[in-house]
Amino acid sequence: MRDFHIHSNYSDGDFLGGMVRAAEAAGLEGVGFADHCNVAPRDHVERMRGLYGFNLDLTYERRREAIEGLRERRSIEIYDAVEMDYDPRDEDAIDVFLAEAGFDYAIGSVHEVDGKNVQVSSHFTDLSDEACDAVVDEYFDRLVSLIESELFDVAAHIDLIERTRPLRGRATTDHYRRVARALADSRTIPEINAGRALTDEEIVHPDEEFLEILREHDVAVTIGTDSHAPDEVGDRAEFLENFFAREGLEPATPPALE
């Protein structure tokens, strides 16, 4: 099994070497570093980049040198990838950057709607039901746009809003079917993401209904533990191995690696 979505100290994860050793200890055949990156020019994004260091566009060459060094010393396959924040306004900038950087593959993700991170519950606790539903609608609009852009190999945690209590449970079957149709017509594939699978809330992305709809549309899925620390890799990898076996799923490879 290979894990195509982990993070390192080049965004909000732990050191590259420790993450690779953890992947080896977990028995993985390959591991892909998909550190966060955002190329939007807007002021609030610039502040976020400064605060969290989501600036792989400035550091990917240095990280690539480190990955090359690890490849020489380790037996596991190590992939040089990226997780790009997606906003439809930034498609041209993303396209230019990805062409310049030449990553092994690119993951796209929607983290923000109307300038608010959809994982931060406090952004939405005071909103009306109607306003929360509008946020969910916009989230799925952006997700479909991400898929239709054909900029990415993988779409990350495609129901990320389920992590956020004020937004949880508001997605509809129609939302899911719209995303599934877009994926069926695209080179982009979604991941089974275990970033919250082993928490008390036991959230797997996508949820059971969403996954079943993806299967109805013959959409392939890949694997992402979304680990940020070495002690997360093994348990999440084991969870996903069991999950794929239980569901009768065969993990796919990001299209750029085929």
Side-chain angles (χ1 to χ4, degrees):
M1 192 176 85
R2 291 175 288 174
D3 176 7
F4 294 106
H5 185 170
I6 71 169
H7 295 275
S8 79
N9 55 301
Y10 283 83
S11 59
D12 57 349
D14 213 317
F15 291 109
L16 282 165
M19 298 300 285
V20 169
R21 288 191 293 274
E24 288 179 324
L28 293 171
E29 296 177 2
V31 63
F33 287 99
D35 283 302
H36 292 284
C37 185
N38 193 318
V39 294
R42 292 174 290 283
D43 288 345
H44 79 279
V45 176
E46 292 291 343
R47 291 194 295 272
M48 180 272 291
R49 285 160 56 94
L51 184 62
Y52 296 108
F54 291 179
N55 55 2
L56 194 65
D57 56 318
L58 304 180
T59 61
Y60 73 90
E61 292 175 310
R62 182 181 301 174
R63 192 192 70 170
R64 184 164 294 162
E65 291 177 3
I67 287 174
E68 288 294 345
L70 286 167
R71 284 170 171 165
E72 292 174 1
R73 300 193 302 273
R74 320 302 301 193
S75 58
I76 190 173
E77 290 184 77
I78 306 172
Y79 304 108
D80 174 19
V82 63
E83 181 182 354
M84 293 291 309
D85 278 327
Y86 174 82
D87 184 304
R89 294 171 291 180
D90 304 324
E91 282 192 10
D92 288 344
I94 292 170
D95 191 18
V96 168
F97 170 62
L98 292 179
E100 169 194 296
F103 293 106
D104 292 334
Y105 59 89
I107 297 176
S109 57
V110 176
H111 287 103
E112 185 178 288
V113 170
D114 294 333
K116 297 180 175 63
N117 190 312
V118 297
Q119 297 178 93
V120 180
S121 291
S122 60
H123 290 327
F124 311 105
T125 50
D126 294 331
L127 296 185
S128 66
D129 285 345
E130 183 179 33
C132 285
D133 288 342
V135 171
V136 172
D137 287 342
E138 178 62 21
Y139 172 82
F140 282 103
D141 284 346
R142 291 196 176 196
L143 180 59
V144 169
S145 182
L146 179 157
I147 295 162
E148 292 177 343
S149 76
E150 298 290 357
L151 289 168
F152 305 103
D153 297 278
V154 177
H157 35 61
I158 57 175
D159 53 355
L160 185 65
I161 54 173
E162 293 302 312
R163 295 184 183 182
T164 310
R165 289 188 179 276
L167 305 179
R168 187 177 302 160
R170 295 180 182 274
T172 67
T173 301
D174 287 342
H175 286 127
Y176 295 160
R177 291 196 181 281
R178 185 178 171 212
V179 173
R181 288 193 298 269
L183 287 165
D185 291 335
S186 174
R187 65 184 287 271
T188 305
I189 61 175
E191 62 177 5
I192 304 296
N193 181 292
R196 296 293 185 277
L198 300 180
T199 65
D200 291 342
E201 295 176 307
E202 298 182 337
I203 296 170
V204 180
H205 302 292
D207 76 6
E208 185 177 351
E209 180 189 1
F210 202 172
L211 178 58
E212 184 57 33
I213 290 171
L214 294 176
R215 298 177 79 161
E216 290 173 7
H217 287 76
D218 294 322
V219 173
V221 293
T222 190
I223 286 177
T225 68
D226 206 351
S227 297
H228 291 69
D231 61 2
E232 295 171 344
V233 177
D235 290 342
R236 293 184 185 183
E238 181 181 11
F239 170 86
L240 285 173
E241 185 172 21
N242 292 333
F243 182 93
F244 272 73
R246 184 173 67 251
E247 295 292 332
L249 293 168
E250 187 70 29
T253 299
L257 296 179
E258 292 180 344

